[in-house]
Amino acid sequence: MFPATRTSRAVGCALLVALALAACGSGVQGTPGGSGVRDPYFPKAGNGGYDVTHYALDLAYEPDDRHLTGTAEITARAVQDLSAFDLDLEGMDVERVTVEGEPARWSRNGQELVVRPHDELDRGETFRLTVRYSGTPQTITDPDGSEEGWLPTDDGALALGEPTGSMAWFPGNHHPSDKASYDIAVTVPEGLQAVSNGELTNRTTSGRRTTFRWHAAEPMASYVATVAIGDYDIRRSTVSGTAGGELPVHTAVAPSEDGPAREVLARIPEFMEWAEDNFGPYPFSSTGAIVARRNAAGYALETQNRPVFPGAPGTELFVHELAHQWFGNSVTPKSWRDMWLNEGFATYAEWLWREDHGGDSAQETFDALYDHGEDKLKDLWSFPPAKPTSAAQISAGPVYHRGAMVLHKIRQTVGDDTFHSIVRGWAAEHRHGNADSADFTAYVEEQAPGEDFTGIWEDWLYGDGRPDRP
């Protein structure tokens, strides 16, 4: 090694000073956002460091080869100084990523699309991210064995997202805690229909392709976003809402389901009037339903504005999914642990409908479940509704039926009038927001300060086994 000369030593010192000054002038350095929000059952779902405010999705689908081409333009706000951030995207080939119009570096790590913008993002900064992608969207198998994501059908496809399937067809912050407005444009071969959330704002045909543009203005969790592509009869009508004015009703029905489905869909005004009386003003700017072919999916889902049904639904199933527009879609769980706030309310809506329309009272339904429920639901007492044992159990019987039993115990305690006020008030208090079980129990106690709910929370909501009948 040769000793350094005086000249090289001076240059080196000057360089160190310059670097130090540059560092001092650059301010706080950003850090990468988290690769998940640490959900207790889906820890990789969602991402940290930013909040999405709007998705603009431009999709084109070719059913013959099951090929999807997409451009996702995402508007978001940084909640920390960001040097990099993640999006959830399962499969698909990413072609280009830009942030604020500048090309961004990106990499893939499982379901994570890691984006490194050209310039770091400051906390509080609103930015626009664009991802171009294509490929064959995946069908995802849930921990409970059901299928979601992109479900190919004989004449198109059906996109369903609960709990994590939406990442199969567009990149995003796929956790219920981050809600956004949506514009979804879908281009399909002429002769097919494309139905999504919100209202149909435009339909154009060019070059033997038709583009349908849907706009959903109210906040929406990505798991209740949907696209239904195929042969559908789309009809638009209106229904009077309690908030005044006429509410658009969009229905899409597969031809094979037209007869039986139309009988149920004709009752939408009746269902809406009953639901608004029980739960308060309808929280969205349109309603309706998508009735797909019977083999399109293995379950119905409360996709926002218009639930999806595989085949014509029965009355109580329609009521269940309609109730979710208040409980699940407008008041959305903070995490997947809080699913009983969706399913318990929607199941209890079935009980209330039955009670109001000449069937068993809610008390009779409760008693039958308590005495004989395990005969049909062998897992009914296997875990409490607010503490599913695993990701495979978040849609299991206790979440639905024991969740409804919790609500009935509250009703028994406070009486019908106060219970009615609690249900309507809860929907209003957290309209278009997120809530968890602790928020709910605190709200109930605030609305009925003279009552003791300790036994309900300890035995029915969080307790193991079958509670003693009081």
Side-chain angles (χ1 to χ4, degrees), residues 380-405:
L380 181 61
W381 308 110
S382 60
F383 63 86
K387 292 170 58 179
T389 54
S390 70
Q393 303 299 322
I394 64 169
S395 293
V399 173
Y400 287 66
H401 302 285
R402 286 193 62 179
M405 296 176 89

Side-chain angles (χ1 to χ4, degrees), residues 20-219:
L21 289 173
C24 291
S26 64
V28 177
Q29 298 297 303
T31 56
S35 60
V37 295
R38 305 298 184 263
D39 185 273
Y41 302 109
F42 299 94
K44 293 183 179 180
N47 301 283
Y50 65 95
D51 174 62
V52 177
T53 57
H54 184 70
Y55 290 92
L57 307 178
D58 193 347
L59 311 174
Y61 187 61
E62 293 293 338
D64 288 346
D65 57 9
R66 298 183 177 179
H67 188 267
L68 178 71
T69 300
T71 299
E73 186 178 90
I74 301 169
T75 303
R77 181 179 61 87
V79 297
Q80 68 180 64
D81 295 318
L82 278 176
S83 61
F85 56 90
D86 288 26
L87 299 168
D88 300 310
L89 181 64
E90 184 69 37
M92 306 299 289
D93 298 318
V94 175
E95 299 165 4
R96 179 178 171 84
V97 180
T98 63
V99 178
E100 288 295 282
E102 294 286 338
R105 292 181 296 153
W106 55 270
S107 60
R108 304 294 298 272
N109 181 19
Q111 73 180 52
E112 303 296 322
L113 171 59
V114 184
V115 178
R116 297 172 179 82
H118 181 270
D119 298 310
E120 293 189 358
L121 301 167
D122 296 331
R123 180 180 179 181
E125 179 180 352
T126 296
F127 62 95
R128 186 164 295 176
L129 159 75
T130 302
V131 181
R132 293 178 56 184
Y133 59 100
S134 62
T136 302
Q138 295 186 13
T139 298
I140 296 172
T141 301
D142 289 341
D144 67 1
S146 59
E147 292 186 334
E148 55 167 319
W150 194 265
L151 308 177
T153 62
D154 293 340
D155 58 352
L158 182 61
L160 299 176
E162 188 179 272
T164 62
S166 293
M167 66 179 176
W169 57 282
F170 69 96
N173 198 18
H174 291 300
H175 189 265
S177 59
D178 191 3
K179 300 164 74 171
S181 58
Y182 282 71
D183 283 288
I184 302 177
V186 187
T187 301
V188 295
E190 186 177 6
L192 295 182
Q193 314 295 317
V195 188
S196 190
N197 308 89
E199 292 79 60
L200 181 65
T201 61
N202 186 258
R203 170 179 174 169
T204 58
T205 299
S206 177
R208 306 181 75 174
R209 296 287 185 273
T210 303
T211 300
F212 298 80
R213 299 185 183 278
W214 296 84
H215 174 66
E218 295 89 3

Side-chain angles (χ1 to χ4, degrees), residues 247-298:
L247 190 72
V249 180
H250 293 275
T251 61
V253 180
S256 61
E257 305 303 319
D258 186 70
R262 290 298 172 197
E263 294 180 14
V264 177
L265 300 184
R267 300 180 67 186
I268 286 179
E270 176 190 357
F271 297 145
M272 288 288 293
E273 182 180 6
W274 177 87
E276 288 195 312
D277 181 61
N278 281 274
F279 312 137
Y282 183 71
F284 301 111
S285 53
S286 67
T287 187
I290 299 171
V291 182
R293 298 183 180 194
R294 290 189 178 276
N295 62 352

